[in-house]
Amino acid sequence: MRFLLCCLALTTLATAADKPLNILFLFADDWGRYASIYAEHEKFPSPNQVVKTPNIDRIAREGALFRRAYVNAPSCTPCRSSLLSGRYFFNCGRAAILNGAVWDPAIPSYPLQLKDQGYHLGKSFKVWSPGEPADAPYGGQQFAYQKSGGRCNQFSEEVTKMVANGVPLETAKQQIYDEVRGNFDSFLAARPQGAPFAFWHGPTNVHRKWVKGSGQAQWGINPDDLKGKLPKHLPDVPEFREDFGSYLGEIQAFDAQVGVILKRLEEAGEYDNTVIVISGDHGAPGFPGGKCNLYDFGVNVTLAIRWPGQPGGRYIEDFVNLMDLAPTFMEIGGAKIPEGVNGKSLVSLMKSGKSGQIEKERDYVITGRERHVSIAREGNLPYPQRALRKDGFLYIHNFKPERMPMGDYKSLTDSFTPSQDALENDTYAAFPDMDSSPAKAWLIEHRNDSQYKWHFDYAFAKRPEEELYDLSKDPDSTINVAKEPAYADVRAKMAAELQEKLKAVGDPRVTMDPVPFENPPFTLDTKSDKPGKGKKGKGKAKAE
């Protein structure tokens, strides 16, 4: 009898061990590396000392927090193309750009690979956008669970409206949380019995635009608490601090949504059988050096992963690219990793149980960019960049330094400045590759101020062909040392290494002539490229 009981116990343990892991992916638009847990590892003033993200911090404490996690491209669609396929963005065909992106169904994507392995798929809100067909690498809208409501995508706007109509602040927030829970409830209810699941929660609230001052009004973030804590390239003035405080408020709103889903996961009894991954698709929108830039402020993002059965409290120093998530998820689900995948699974890192630099070959990332807003430059041309980020140094190659990095001046001239309302709400008014914002408006209005001219030039002026930053001395990438004799060897070595690596992975920018990104269909001004009607009848629609 004892022998039979032992056999039954072993069988039960084996069955539990063989049970496929679920995958919960929580992915925020425009969210850089800002979470309060990072402040515990930083030795300098930072906005991480102001933002509060208890739910994200929880996952990091119970799992691993990555310091050197990077997106492949600091623009929504190409970043997501890379993440979903595991390929460098430039190897994703027309999905390598934002406006005018088209998904190639011949490219395998991890969600559809998991579906073929019997996974129950679901998503709420933004997965792959903008692009045609919508959310194609996630199976379009057939796996959407969002009928309970989507007010989380305009969190501060919706809360502001409810409060103005007499709804108490916390009640207004709770109404939105109930929608988030309802969508996840519907997904769980539709799950076939015993099937593993993969769910993507992709709210757009951290994307512009949010209500000015909402960080303080809705989350108690005092802009003055950011004084002395902003990156060097952002003017430390009240307008920037208020705008950045509201950005942090939207991050806290995302964190609250994370908490709602984690609680429901626990109630469903699936918390300890689920790999939980939390991240964002690039840096801050509407701020210099953020979205559409290859500086750390634009491409270094939060990444926290909780892995069942693995120790928590880990802080990982390996360089990882978000395209590594596709082969990670495929490996978890037992899918064969297809040809053409450039990313490297993170399963070995997570199962190592270690902290620090774990795998010595993960000592760099490559980032890049082609086209964001289609009409940013004359002829709908891109601003091609590639960068090599290593320990202590960032090297950037700008292939077309004669072009404007954030787009042309548009209506802005030496004698004419668009109205503050236009600069705050119409992305196309000037330099369209930077989202409209109060910060952008302030910087343009102060462009002739000697005190802030450097900040304006940093954001909008033409850039040299090569940029090199010594991050041990200049962590915010503000002093280009590419032409300094003392750095000649470093520059030459990193330039050669970048070219070698790009050629090895077949980057069309360096392996093809003519370069496809410089010609149609990549430069077409399609109907979907034309300016859409945003809030107040101006600018672009929110989910750009």
Side-chain angles (χ1 to χ4, degrees):
M1 178 62 73
R2 181 177 294 178
F3 174 76
L4 290 173
L5 289 173
C6 287
C7 287
L8 285 171
L10 288 171
T11 302
T12 302
L13 288 171
T15 301
D18 293 339
K19 186 178 180 183
L21 292 171
N22 306 313
I23 298 168
L24 174 62
F25 188 41
L26 306 163
F27 197 59
D29 249 15
D30 295 38
W31 175 35
R33 209 198 71 175
Y34 291 106
S36 46
I37 192 169
Y38 280 112
E40 300 173 15
H41 302 273
E42 294 172 340
K43 300 178 181 178
F44 48 85
S46 161
N48 287 319
Q49 297 163 358
V50 177
V51 70
K52 303 299 180 189
T53 54
N55 298 297
I56 295 161
D57 294 359
R58 173 192 174 184
I59 296 305
R61 293 189 201 287
E62 294 179 3
L65 182 68
F66 290 75
R67 185 169 79 88
R68 291 165 162 172
Y70 289 80
V71 297
N72 187 216
S75 172
C76 296
T77 305
C79 166
R80 292 159 186 264
S81 299
S82 177
L83 190 158
L84 285 154
S85 68
R87 299 177 176 219
Y88 281 113
F89 81 98
F90 46 70
N91 287 336
C92 292
R94 289 182 66 183
I97 59 175
L98 183 117
N99 284 162
V102 176
W103 182 259
D104 180 357
I107 297 176
S109 63
Y110 88 77
L112 300 184
Q113 296 284 100
L114 292 179
K115 177 179 177 292
D116 289 344
Q117 297 299 311
Y119 270 71
H120 171 51
L121 287 189
K123 66 103 178 177
S124 287
F125 314 118
K126 184 174 179 178
V127 172
W128 185 76
S129 175
E132 298 294 336
D135 283 349
Y138 212 91
Q141 303 307 312
Q142 62 178 311
F143 304 117
Y145 292 87
Q146 45 205 45
K147 290 183 179 179
S148 291
R151 287 185 290 178
C152 61
N153 293 311
Q154 292 84 34
F155 195 95
S156 62
E157 298 98 315
E158 294 294 339
V159 168
T160 298
K161 280 192 242 176
M162 286 189 274
V163 170
N165 288 327
V167 179
L169 175 60
E170 293 307 316
T171 303
K173 290 181 180 180
Q174 188 60 51
Q175 288 186 25
I176 295 178
Y177 302 153
D178 290 344
E179 293 179 359
V180 171
R181 180 186 172 100
N183 291 326
F184 193 50
D185 278 342
S186 298
F187 167 74
L188 293 176
R191 176 190 183 193
Q193 186 173 1
F197 67 75
F199 186 78
W200 176 314
H201 177 63
T204 60
N205 66 287
V206 186
H207 191 297
R208 295 280 179 179
K209 67 178 194 177
W210 48 77
V211 174
K212 187 187 292 189
S214 57
Q216 185 163 26
Q218 296 179 10
W219 300 100
I221 298 172
N222 185 344
D224 287 343
D225 289 343
L226 285 165
K227 193 168 186 178
K229 297 183 177 71
L230 294 178
K232 184 179 178 181
H233 60 275
L234 302 186
D236 197 351
V237 297
E239 292 82 358
F240 264 76
R241 293 196 293 269
E242 180 184 66
D243 203 12
F244 206 85
S246 295
Y247 171 62
L248 298 182
E250 294 293 347
I251 292 171
Q252 293 192 190
F254 171 67
D255 179 80
Q257 297 169 52
V258 169
V260 169
I261 294 175
L262 294 182
K263 182 179 179 181
R264 181 67 186 93
L265 190 67
E266 288 180 300
E267 292 171 356
E270 295 289 352
Y271 188 76
D272 288 324
N273 193 52
T274 302
V275 174
I276 302 169
V277 181
I278 308 177
S279 192
D281 67 353
H282 49 67
F287 292 99
K291 182 176 180 177
C292 286
N293 288 275
L294 303 187
Y295 311 118
D296 275 14
F297 187 60
V299 291
N300 189 194
V301 294
T302 302
L303 178 62
I305 302 178
R306 183 187 189 274
W307 197 286
Q310 296 300 316
R314 300 163 60 195
Y315 191 58
I316 295 179
E317 296 280 351
D318 295 52
F319 282 90
V320 301
N321 195 306
L322 290 200
M323 73 178 176
D324 296 334
L325 292 175
T328 302
F329 295 155
M330 291 176 190
E331 185 173 349
I332 291 170
K336 181 181 178 181
I337 296 176
E339 295 280 336
V341 169
N342 302 118
K344 183 182 178 183
S345 171
L346 302 177
V347 170
S348 59
L349 284 184
M350 294 307 302
K351 288 189 173 181
S352 72
K354 298 178 181 178
S355 292
Q357 179 74 35
I358 300 168
E359 297 177 356
K360 62 181 181 180
E361 65 273 17
R362 296 185 190 263
D363 63 349
Y364 74 94
V365 288
I366 290 173
T367 61
R369 174 189 170 204
E370 286 292 339
R371 191 175 88 164
H372 186 66
V373 170
S374 61
I375 63 168
R377 281 161 289 279
E378 188 70 26
N380 308 312
L381 292 171
Y383 188 76
Q385 301 176 281
R386 302 290 186 270
L388 178 64
R389 176 70 162 88
K390 304 195 78 172
D391 188 16
F393 286 95
L394 168 66
Y395 172 81
I396 301 174
H397 187 94
N398 299 310
F399 290 88
K400 300 291 182 180
E402 69 276 11
R403 297 177 188 168
M404 299 294 290
M406 290 295 105
D408 296 337
Y409 279 78
K410 299 299 181 182
S411 59
L412 178 68
T413 67
D414 289 342
S415 58
F416 175 76
T417 302
S419 69
Q420 180 172 336
D421 180 69
L423 293 173
E424 288 190 7
N425 296 289
D426 183 0
T427 293
Y428 292 91
F431 311 117
D433 274 347
M434 183 188 290
D435 289 25
S436 56
S437 68
K440 180 180 180 179
W442 187 93
L443 193 56
I444 290 174
E445 289 164 355
H446 289 78
R447 65 190 183 280
N448 295 319
D449 231 338
S450 59
Q451 186 177 356
Y452 301 111
K453 186 178 185 305
W454 176 88
H455 293 87
F456 177 83
D457 289 343
Y458 176 92
F460 303 115
K462 290 180 179 178
R463 298 172 187 175
E465 184 174 357
E466 292 183 293
E467 299 176 66
L468 178 66
Y469 299 95
D470 183 346
L471 303 178
S472 65
K473 300 176 181 178
D474 176 29
D476 293 322
S477 302
T478 60
I479 304 169
N480 182 11
V481 298
K483 291 187 176 180
E484 292 189 15
Y487 290 92
D489 289 345
V490 174
R491 183 206 59 76
K493 183 178 179 181
M494 292 191 74
E497 184 178 352
L498 176 61
Q499 287 293 316
E500 179 184 356
K501 291 182 184 302
L502 293 176
K503 289 178 181 177
V505 295
D507 181 354
R509 178 55 67 177
V510 299
T511 61
M512 299 181 70
D513 186 14
V515 177
F517 302 125
E518 295 288 326
N519 300 287
F522 291 93
T523 57
L524 289 177
D525 182 17
T526 64
K527 182 179 180 181
S528 61
D529 285 340
K530 295 184 184 302
K533 294 296 182 182
K535 304 276 173 57
K536 300 182 181 178
K538 298 178 180 179
K540 302 171 73 174
K542 180 169 183 172
E544 65 182 42

